[in-house]
Structure formats: structure tokens, C-alpha cells
Amino acid sequence: MLCTLDWGPEGLLEAVRREDVVVLVDVLRFCSTAVAAVRAGVRIIPAPGRLEAEGLAAALRLPVVTSSKEGYEAGRPTDSPIWYERYAVAGTRVVYPSSNGGRLLSSVRDYPHVVLGALLNASAAARYASALAGSLGKGVTVVAAGELSTDFDPEAQPRLLFAAEDLLGAGAVIDALSADLSAEAAVALGAWEACVQDRTRLLLASRSGRHLQSTGRQEEVEYCAQLDITEVVPVLRHGEIVAAEG
């Protein structure tokens, strides 16, 4: 079994064309929040943006996830993993708009072999993906989400920015896989091995980490830097993020 590494929307679609098992990694914070939500018994419907999310939420009579920079309170789900630890109600569903993880998953909502990985569940996600790929006779592609940015210009086409936290998250997943590695996957593994002990500082120093700190959310970055705190593996099923079975 071969494990390769790719980035962003084009990498995800190429992995789907190969019929690989995909492990999507978006450490700050989509996949980390999904791990915390699913761990708490919450199902997520991803959406590529706020407008699409509001339409889905209205049709399904569900709440839309809001920004955690407005604070945490019961009954108002946010995009922070910490909110789900404190306030989530098992058995509920939410619509989660995201220009990164949500946009990526919305583009492959019917593909049956998508796993969500983060530092929080890196080993569990790797084991699940490896077992699934083995049963299917396919490879594994770890897709680092990166950051889609328009540089705050609503008229500009988004461009994919490198995300250090996603390289490290991808490396953590690859480290726990039982697979032959492409050159790209081997580089991600090397970066992880070199940086694992310094990961919290590096997440805080990353572009996304600096932005979250500037809006008072350093605690969220530090939460997302935790390694293997859960065995929960979120997967995409018919357009919803749910816990993998077995």
C-alpha cells in the first residue's frame, strides 16, 4: 500500500480520481473541531461558506456554526473544538461553514472513503485509513488542506497558501500509517519527526495560529496541538461528518 501527500482542492480531487482512501487534515481548526464534535456525539454537515450554510440550516432547521471570537455560550455552537467539550449535546446536528475544510468536503460529499485527521486523533485516523485501504486494495492519500485565501478581496480568486500546521498534522498521520511512502509523504514525516516536541510553539507561530491569537483564541491553538487524545475517527457519510464504526 502506498501513502502519498497532496494539498488542497486539486490534491483532493486527484486522490478521489485514483479512488484512494483520503485522510483530510486541517489542524486549525476544521478537522480538530470535527474530532471534538463527533467525540461529543454531534454530527456535522459541512458547507463551503456562510451563504450555503444558512440555506442548508433553514431547510433542515438546524443551527449554523458561528465564530468563536464572539465567545462561548450554551446553545450557540461555534467553530472551536473547546465549545464541543463544554456545551455539546449528544445526538444534535449542526451546519458548519468553512472556506477550507468545509469547502473541500462539500466538493466530494458523496465519496465514501474520506477520513478526517488532526493531531488530536492522528494515530486513530491512520489506523482506520490503513485498514480501510487494505480491505479495498487501494492507497492512502493524506490531503493537507492548506489555507484558501483571497487576501480579504471578495473579488479575487482564492489561492492556496502553505499551512505549517497541516504539514505537521499530515506528518503525524503518516507516522502512524503502515505503508510505503511517496517522496512527498516521506518529507512530511521527516518534518513531523523533527518538530513533534516543538509543535505547540510552531502552531502558535503559524499564519493561522497568529491570527487566532490576535483575536484572543490562543487556548484553541494549544488545544489543537494535543496529540492522540482520542480514538474517535470522523468520516464523511452522505454529506455528513459522523463517527466511523468499528
Side-chain angles (χ1 to χ4, degrees):
M1 181 178 66
L2 177 67
C3 170
T4 191
L5 171 76
D6 217 325
W7 285 86
E10 292 183 2
L12 174 61
L13 293 178
E14 183 60 31
V16 169
R17 281 192 287 270
R18 287 194 301 270
E19 299 183 342
D20 276 359
V21 173
V22 173
V23 183
L24 177 66
V25 177
D26 184 350
V27 172
L28 293 177
R29 291 158 298 157
F30 187 89
C31 289
S32 299
T33 299
V35 169
V38 169
R39 186 186 190 191
V42 177
R43 299 162 70 103
I44 292 174
I45 301 172
R50 173 66 52 181
L51 195 60
E52 296 88 345
E54 289 175 349
L56 279 170
L60 298 171
R61 298 184 178 180
L62 296 175
V64 177
V65 167
T66 61
S67 172
S68 63
K69 66 184 177 183
E70 300 169 12
Y72 308 150
E73 62 181 68
R76 188 177 62 81
T78 78
D79 54 6
S80 167
I82 295 172
W83 186 91
Y84 296 89
E85 282 213 337
R86 295 180 182 173
Y87 299 113
V89 177
T92 57
R93 301 160 75 207
V94 298
V95 181
Y96 186 174
S98 164
S99 60
N100 293 311
R103 184 178 299 277
L104 289 168
L105 292 180
S106 295
S107 71
V108 294
R109 63 174 57 251
D110 294 320
Y111 188 65
H113 307 312
V114 179
V115 178
L116 279 69
L119 293 175
L120 303 174
N121 73 332
S123 293
R127 287 193 299 270
Y128 181 86
S130 182
L132 179 58
S135 71
L136 296 170
K138 298 293 185 179
V140 174
T141 297
V142 180
V143 176
E147 183 178 353
L148 284 173
S149 173
T150 60
D151 298 312
F152 305 103
D153 179 356
E155 302 299 322
Q157 287 296 314
R159 62 190 182 101
L160 183 65
L161 302 179
F162 176 82
E165 69 275 12
D166 293 342
L167 180 66
L168 294 179
V173 171
I174 292 165
D175 189 27
L177 277 170
S178 300
D180 298 324
L181 304 182
S182 70
E184 294 79 10
V187 169
L189 174 60
W192 169 248
E193 291 175 336
C195 299
V196 56
Q197 299 303 325
D198 205 20
R199 64 185 184 276
T200 301
R201 183 188 67 81
L202 291 170
L203 261 64
L204 288 166
S206 70
R207 182 185 291 105
S208 295
R210 295 194 307 272
H211 169 70
L212 288 165
Q213 288 179 86
S214 73
T215 52
R217 293 178 283 177
Q218 178 173 328
E219 181 185 17
E220 295 180 22
V221 182
E222 293 168 343
Y223 181 97
C224 294
Q226 297 176 98
L227 181 63
D228 287 335
I229 65 168
T230 180
E231 294 292 306
V232 165
V233 179
V235 294
L236 188 65
R237 290 284 182 270
H238 308 295
E240 290 194 20
I241 300 169
V242 300
E245 297 178 359

